[in-house]
Amino acid sequence: MYTFHYFNKEPILSSEEDSALTCNLLTDCDIFKIEVSSESMDGSFTYSKTADNIYYLFMDLQVHEDVNICFKGDASRKGMCLFYNIGDCLSLQILDKKHALSSENLYIGMSKSSDNLNFAISENTGVKLILIQTDFVELVEENFCVNASLPTNISKAKGGFYDKFVQKKALNGQMRGLINKCLTNSQEGLERKMNLEAHCKELTALAIGTIGKYKTTYDNTAAVLTNKEREAIHAVAKILEEKYSNPPLQTELAREVGLNLNKMTSGFKLIYGQTINKYLLKVRMSKAKSLLVIDNDFTVGEVAEAVGFSHASYFIKKFKESYGETPGVFV
């Protein structure tokens, strides 16, 4: 039995049976990758979570002999489990019930508890699975709507109930494309982190779309986006990452990517789970921290100006809100 613990910040993979287990933990911008090699399996586990507590785990393994893997996490994972499988068939056990996770399918689970997930994997199996977990109702209410706008079957999930504990949905081309982008991503640092978070949030949004449609009692013009509109939204994020010190006004940004302002702002929140301003602030704070850590020659005022703040005092306030410490600690 292998046990993957991820209730701490850094995940740990341990084994009760295989003393020859070799693990190499790589950390990049709060994304943790465990490279594993043993007689039982070879491959990797990649794990992280977004600021709004969407946990994601990528499994990319070649299993040589029958193994069992137990995943243990904390209580904030309760509410929704998404299993995107493009590898071979796996067996999943939750709450004493077993489910076969066949290839090319999405499986949606709902629970009001954060029970362990147990996978049974047969020999000579290729595992390519993305697991996403979050407190679903809290995520929906915080991002888009009041409880009254949830369809009946989603509202029931608030109490931990769903028609079938695990529901099966066929993967579509859009889902497969995002899964492959996650599993094959070779970027580094902030670029990688933001792209993986965006892909996982988009996968979550696609899963929510298979459960039910929201009532149009709130502004959700981004509920359906064409591929061209999605590309334009991703272009917005790229512009913000490149021009963070002096970004265009949102009206100019919308013109540049060819969207109207309302579609751009609502679509951005749908894909990235936050407003354009919050995303920009996150980019600026990350750049500021890098400047402070990498180059000690900068003063706090110089760093504030470099990332687009006119007043150092406001920069210090926002930096502390983001990292819990003032920028002076890093100087």
Side-chain angles (χ1 to χ4, degrees):
M1 168 71 77
Y2 292 88
T3 305
F4 188 94
H5 304 267
Y6 57 113
F7 42 80
N8 294 318
K9 184 176 180 183
E10 293 190 3
I12 300 169
L13 180 68
S14 60
S15 172
E16 298 173 4
E17 303 168 356
D18 190 354
S19 58
L21 174 68
T22 302
C23 290
N24 182 29
L25 177 64
L26 306 175
T27 305
D28 180 24
C29 207
D30 289 331
I31 297 174
F32 302 95
K33 183 176 183 179
I34 296 178
E35 296 177 337
V36 58
S37 178
S38 72
E39 293 181 359
S40 301
M41 62 183 176
D42 292 285
S44 64
F45 300 84
T46 302
Y47 161 79
S48 191
K49 70 173 182 175
T50 68
D52 42 0
N53 289 328
I54 298 177
Y55 292 72
Y56 59 89
L57 172 68
F58 310 150
M59 295 170 61
D60 193 353
L61 304 168
Q62 184 60 49
V63 174
H64 311 304
E65 58 185 29
D66 293 355
V67 297
N68 291 288
I69 305 177
C70 177
F71 291 89
K72 295 184 176 182
D74 62 24
S76 61
R77 298 178 300 109
K78 68 183 180 181
M80 173 182 266
C81 298
L82 305 176
F83 307 92
Y84 284 90
N85 187 19
I86 61 169
D88 297 330
C89 185
L90 314 175
S91 177
L92 169 69
Q93 181 170 325
I94 319 174
L95 296 174
D96 299 323
K97 292 184 180 180
K98 290 186 177 180
H99 308 273
L101 305 186
S102 56
S103 183
E104 294 296 314
N105 284 291
L106 157 67
Y107 293 83
I108 304 169
M110 294 284 189
S111 176
K112 57 184 175 183
S113 63
S114 54
D115 296 87
N116 298 333
L117 305 174
N118 294 287
F119 290 91
I121 307 173
S122 303
E123 64 177 347
N124 299 322
T125 294
V127 180
K128 289 187 179 295
L129 179 79
I130 290 181
L131 167 62
I132 299 174
Q133 294 178 283
T134 188
D135 187 326
F136 168 63
V137 174
E138 179 181 311
L139 174 72
V140 172
E141 290 180 347
E142 283 189 357
N143 281 279
F144 294 112
C145 55
V146 296
N147 202 41
S149 64
L150 294 174
T152 303
N153 57 347
I154 293 182
S155 296
K156 288 180 179 178
K158 189 172 185 180
F161 171 82
Y162 198 47
D163 295 338
K164 293 180 180 179
F165 183 72
V166 173
Q167 244 198 17
K168 177 181 176 181
K169 306 284 184 179
L171 296 179
N172 59 33
Q174 189 175 1
M175 292 174 180
R176 281 193 295 271
L178 289 166
I179 294 165
N180 281 315
K181 284 181 180 179
C182 290
L183 294 177
T184 60
N185 187 288
S186 60
Q187 297 165 319
E188 296 180 351
L190 183 64
E191 182 183 17
R192 180 186 184 215
K193 180 179 177 64
M194 288 188 163
N195 275 311
L196 289 181
E197 286 190 6
H199 297 332
C200 288
K201 287 184 177 182
E202 191 166 0
L203 284 169
T204 305
L206 290 170
I208 291 170
T210 71
I211 298 173
K213 301 291 184 183
Y214 298 117
K215 296 178 182 177
T216 56
T217 56
Y218 60 99
D219 181 18
N220 191 19
T221 56
V224 178
L225 293 172
T226 66
N227 288 336
K228 186 176 180 180
E229 288 167 342
R230 288 180 182 277
E231 289 174 4
I233 297 298
H234 291 309
V236 170
K238 187 173 182 180
I239 291 169
L240 295 176
E241 291 162 20
E242 292 174 349
K243 300 181 179 180
Y244 59 88
S245 62
N246 187 27
L249 296 173
Q250 289 191 15
T251 50
E252 296 171 354
L253 198 53
R255 249 192 326 269
E256 187 171 342
V257 300
L259 294 176
N260 67 53
L261 182 60
N262 188 47
K263 175 67 76 171
M264 180 186 74
T265 55
S266 56
F268 193 95
K269 191 170 183 181
L270 178 69
I271 292 177
Y272 289 94
Q274 57 192 311
T275 65
I276 290 174
N277 287 336
K278 285 187 177 180
Y279 187 90
L280 175 61
L281 178 63
K282 187 175 180 180
V283 173
R284 284 174 159 175
M285 290 298 101
S286 180
K287 296 288 186 182
K289 188 176 181 181
S290 296
L291 286 173
L292 290 165
V293 172
I294 295 171
D295 195 336
N296 292 327
D297 292 336
F298 284 105
T299 66
V300 171
E302 288 170 337
V303 170
E305 185 177 353
V307 298
F309 283 83
S310 303
H311 303 286
S313 58
Y314 185 64
F315 164 71
I316 293 169
K317 177 185 175 182
K318 288 300 178 182
F319 191 94
K320 188 173 182 180
E321 288 176 2
S322 299
Y323 297 110
E325 296 177 309
T326 65
V329 173
F330 298 92
V331 175

